[in-house]
Structures are given as structure tokens and as C-alpha cells.
Amino acid sequence: MTDTVPQPNANQQAAIRWDEGPALLLAGPGAGKTLVLTERVIRLIRESPDDSFNVLGLTFTNRAAEEMRRRVGNRLGRDRARVEISTFHGFCADQLRQHGAHVGIRPDFRLLTQPSDRIAILKDLERGSTAFAESSLPVERKAEVLSRLLLSEGSRAAMAALLPGLPGARWVDDYVEALGRENLLDFDSLLYWCLRLLRTVPAVARLARITYPYVCVDEYQDTNAAQDRILRQICPPPDGNLFTVADDDQIIYEWNGASPERLRALRADYGMSLFDLPDSYRCPDRILRHANRLIGHNRNRMCSGKPLLAVGVSPRGTLIRRHTFASEREEVEWVARDIKQRGVGTSDCAVMARTTKLAELAFNVLQTNGIAACHVQRWQGFDSPGVRFITAALRLAAAPTHTDQLRQLCRSFFEATRVHVSVDSAAGLAEMNGGALLVGFTRAAGHQGAGSRARVLLELVAKQLVGRGDYREFIQRSFESYRSTTLTPVWSDEVLRATQDEIDRWLDVDSRISDDAVSAGPLSQYLQDFELRAGAPEPQPGQVQCLTIFQAKGKGFAHVYLVGLAEDILPSFYAKGGGDEDRRIEEERRICFVAITRASRTLTLSYARSYWRWRKAPSRFLGEMGLSSDIEHPAGIRGNRT
């Protein structure tokens, strides 16, 4: 099966045909940047059939990486092996697996993905003689500061300049040392250690440059300082074949280290050739006119100033509506009724908000009104006892002397089977049998009076994990045992439903990492790749997506409801205060620009006179779009004052 490839326009074709040297492609919303990237990668490989070099493609989301892998794989066949498409974090994990020993990172490191993991480690550090114990900042604030430090340029001078008055370098040293004792990494320290590896071991950076003489980067405007420095190590200026796609009108992650200045520095340092893609194949002209008016108020723009142009988008059915309400509750209740009355396809519909709180309210109200909806949230790990047991068993098999993992396994085994296994007893039996804690656990559990489900799980651990080391067979048979009606049930119907949902989620992630290389790889690599790809679940067919604008980036919908267009909401209260107000307001304007350019057919903009009992004025962005006058009041809704 092959993809039907649209014919590139003249601007796209020029970028696809670009060969040697650095280049920057400025691509607006819906401009076909994925087409350009994939076609350029395919061309580079096809025009060099006898060469041994590989092409590296870096993206910011698993979803984007998987889409590019699919397109390239369908077209290149066997030659797909010459293309490595990954997220930044995936690339860094691979580098540390192969070469991390040079900086003290063992290849079987475990990846921490939850904010609570970092908080727990910091609380331990606060109780010891560390730099964290000397600060009175709340631990949550320390976690935020630590993230900024790890994502900085990595030098002590940069850390000192970033947070004057705080011992930033000591914080980083204490934290990464604590992780290292347990062979742990988190998302931020993945970048930190990869940058440190490339800087301190020049041979590793040189090998990457030889392996990947062509590097393509999607959404460069979202890079933080660490990601930018990693790129410069593997594809150094001024002559590196670095092909980047960016849009300075969509820089909305400054809180995570993105910066308009970084995009300018990239072009200057590399002397990049510039390509412009102002044509939008997503948004109709009526929506783009308002988007151009809005973003035109930003003075700090790098682009050539060309307005976005609608190409091949039928204006038929295009509708822009503006509504005002008395409160946030009336606003989202009207949205729910309107979706029902219009009969729009729910899979093609999204409700967007600047804040998680407002997006969550919309989700709850839509569900209450009988509308299938999903609230896109960060993955928080597995909750059902059976799947938690599988996860704990795999982690202990990968780290056989890790006492904390034994503790997690004993806890999840009790939750799944109601059979208590003492950590001390399991550890003692492990010491008598070579030190492997998983062996000690199976023997300690075997001494207990166990029901059928517990016996099945123990047999699977002993036979598949301990005996054969076949983690895939262990996963599959454990799932089968949970579905079996021959076992004595110990879970409620609610727990059984949750277990099946999480099994389906596991299998979905597994299907995305089950290529031959990973299938044959060690358990530690499987767990690392699983954690890297197990982000927010994809919506089910027929669900309205309720999400923040940040989560909507990179997506498109036929029908968009943008709620909360009020001062202190969008733009946010934080952006309006403090020192550099213009810079913050420009980012808020870009956030609004991203939201309205997600729509391909209808765009509904709304605000309330009060949010959570605080009076608010209409957002200035409505006026800048030319939509502040003639605010409509839907039938049956009265804008009463609070």
C-alpha cells in the first residue's frame, strides 16, 4: 500500500530539491511542511543508492515521528533502514544507550516520566546535606527551577546567569548524582546527559556527524537551549547540512525554553538559505484574514511579512461566530448544546482553551450533556492492579537488585491478588539464591496460600521472566490470564473494565515500538522506548477533543470552539504583569493565532463576563482580529452581570 502524494507547489518543490548546506523553511499553519520533509528525505536516499550515509529526522512529538516514519517507510521499502526519524528524547536515549558509559550512564537505565517521581527524589534530597536542603523554596518550585537548569546550555556559567542567587550548578550536581545512584534518568536529564556526552567525548559527536551527514528538524521554533546545543554538536555551523522547518508565529513554549532569539541566532550562525511557505491548505481565506490581522500586531517577527494565503480550500460552509455569556458555566453549556443542535461530526470537533481548568470544565459539561468527549491529559501511568503488577515485574527483571522495585512489586501483587508478600522475606530468599530479587519474590510468594490468579501470575513470572527472560511472552500470557473466565475473579466489574482499557492502551503503544530491532532488543530498551512513547492517549473515534491550545498545536479540526477569550484568560493575567509585558503579550498573541488556525471550516469564539466570579473584559485579541464589534448573544442566553 502506498500513499497518494499531492503535487508540491513551486515553493515546496524548491525546498524539496535543496541539496547541500543549511536551510530554513518558514512554514505557516497547514502549509504542507510534513510533505516537504518526507519528500526531501526520500529524494536524498533515492538519489544516493550506493552510499552508506543515513538521514536523521528529529521531531517534537511521537505522533509526528510516527507519521513521518509511516510515509517514508511506505515509499522507501528496504532503504527505510537508512532513515532514522525520532523525537529529540528518543535520539538522546539511543545515544546514551550506545555511548553513555563514557559519562557514567549504564545502558539499562530506567526512565522516570511522572512529575511525582522528581518530587519524591527532591524530598529525599531536602532531608540530606545537599544544596536543596539550604533553600526554603517549596519543593514544587524547586522542581520547576531544576527543569530550567537542566534544559539550559549545560554550562555552569549559563546556570549561574539563569538563576542568580541560587546555587544552580550544585542543584544539578546533587540531583543527577541521586539519579545516577539508582541508574535513573528523567526527560530533562536525558537532554542534559546527551549534551554533556557530545561535548566531553568528541569521538561520539564525530561518529554522529559521520553517520548522519544530513539532519532535518521539524518545528525548530520549539527547541530549548539544550536541544539547540545538541543539534550544533551533531551538525555544527556554519556548513552543516541542517534543514530546519519553523514558524516564528507559532512560538508558544517560551515557558519551556523556546525563544524567538534562538531562531534568529540559528539563521545567523549557519548563514541559512531561506524558503517561505505562506500557502495554507487547511484554513479558508475568511479565517486567514483574521489570523493575519491578529499576528500582524506582533513587532518581533522574523518572517518576511508575507500574509498567509488560502490555497485549494473551499470557502463553502465557512462560518465565524462570536458570542458572549454571563459566566464560564453558561459559556461551555451553550457549546455543548450547539454541538448537539448543529449535528457536526464529533471527531472533527474540538473545544480549546488557554487553561487546563477551562478545558476540563468543557469536558465535564459535554459529558453531562451526553456528548462523547475526551480531555487530553498527560499520561499518569497505569492504575489498574493487574497492569501495575506486570509493570513492576518487568522493571524488577530489568533491575534485579533494585529494592524499591521489589517493594513496588509486592504492593502491586497484593492489590492484584490480595496475597501479602513481605519485602524482607523476599530479599532474604533472594540473598540465599544468588541475589536476584525477582527469584526471591517468587519463592516468598509461593510460601503463601494463593488463589488461582496469584498462582498463574507467579508461574508466568517464574517461567517466562526468571526462566527464559522472554518478556514479550510474559506480557502476552499475563494479559490472557486477566481475560480468562476459568480463574476465580477477585476484581470488581469496574476494575475489570479499567484493566481491559489499560491492556488496550499497552497494546497500542507496543504496536508502535514493535519493529524488528526493538522486538529483538533487551528488556531495558523495551521499557525505555515504552516510557518514551506512552504519552497522552489518542482520542477514540466520535469524541470531541477538549484540550488546551498547547495540546492542539500540530493538529487540525473542521470545527473549533475557542472559549475563554477574555482578559486575564487569553491573554493570561501573568502575561499582563511584570517587566517584559510586550514580549509576554506577543507570546499570548501567538497562542491565540495557533488556536484559530486549527480550524478548516467553522470557528466559534466566545468569552464570559466573569470567570469563577471574577469580572473580565473581552480579550484585546478580538479587536485585533476585527471581531470585537457586534458580539452575538445566542438565543436563550442572557448576559447578566455578576
Side-chain angles (χ1 to χ4, degrees), residues 465-477:
L465 281 184
V466 175
R468 298 180 179 174
D470 190 342
Y471 61 87
R472 286 193 171 275
E473 187 74 8
F474 168 73
I475 294 169
Q476 178 183 340
R477 297 211 173 190

Side-chain angles (χ1 to χ4, degrees), residues 96-145:
L96 291 172
R97 275 195 293 261
Q98 295 182 56
H99 311 294
H102 291 294
V103 289
I105 304 294
R106 300 197 303 274
D108 60 346
F109 60 84
R110 182 187 157 208
L111 189 60
L112 303 177
T113 60
Q114 304 305 324
S116 58
D117 295 327
R118 176 177 288 180
I119 295 295
I121 292 171
L122 291 181
K123 286 182 176 178
D124 285 341
L125 290 171
E126 285 181 330
R127 289 189 283 267
S129 299
T130 67
F132 290 101
E134 300 169 6
S135 172
S136 60
L137 286 175
V139 68
E140 291 79 11
R141 176 60 180 151
K142 288 177 182 175
E144 295 172 4
V145 170

Side-chain angles (χ1 to χ4, degrees), residues 53-98:
F53 72 81
N54 291 353
V55 176
L56 175 63
L58 294 174
T59 74
F60 279 83
T61 66
N62 289 313
R63 183 169 157 269
E66 287 158 11
E67 174 62 15
M68 285 188 64
R69 276 194 292 266
R70 183 187 66 81
R71 293 195 192 190
V72 169
N74 286 348
R75 302 273 300 286
L76 285 181
R78 291 181 180 178
D79 283 337
R80 74 179 70 183
R82 290 178 57 196
V83 181
E84 176 67 29
I85 297 175
S86 175
T87 62
F88 271 92
H89 289 93
F91 173 78
C92 291
D94 186 58
Q95 291 296 304
L96 291 172
R97 275 195 293 261
Q98 295 182 56

Side-chain angles (χ1 to χ4, degrees), residues 311-333:
V311 177
V313 182
S314 172
R316 183 178 302 173
T318 302
L319 179 66
I320 299 178
R321 302 179 298 171
R322 302 89 67 201
H323 296 310
T324 186
F325 302 90
S327 69
E328 77 285 346
R329 171 67 64 170
E330 290 186 1
E331 183 178 18
V332 295
E333 284 180 347

Side-chain angles (χ1 to χ4, degrees), residues 358-432:
L358 194 51
E360 187 172 6
L361 175 64
F363 166 71
N364 292 332
V365 169
L366 261 61
Q367 281 204 315
T368 301
N369 281 269
I371 298 173
C374 68
H375 177 38
V376 179
Q377 293 178 300
R378 181 172 181 168
W379 183 57
Q380 298 295 324
F382 294 112
D383 291 324
S384 66
V387 179
R388 283 166 61 90
F389 171 77
I390 293 172
T391 304
L394 291 172
R395 286 176 176 169
L396 187 57
T401 61
H402 202 302
T403 305
D404 185 60
Q405 285 305 308
L406 173 62
R407 189 174 295 109
Q408 296 289 338
L409 181 62
C410 291
R411 183 183 300 121
S412 62
F413 187 65
F414 176 76
E415 293 171 349
T417 66
R418 313 315 291 179
V419 174
H420 175 71
V421 178
S422 165
V423 174
D424 291 339
S425 174
L429 287 171
E431 191 172 345
M432 296 169 56

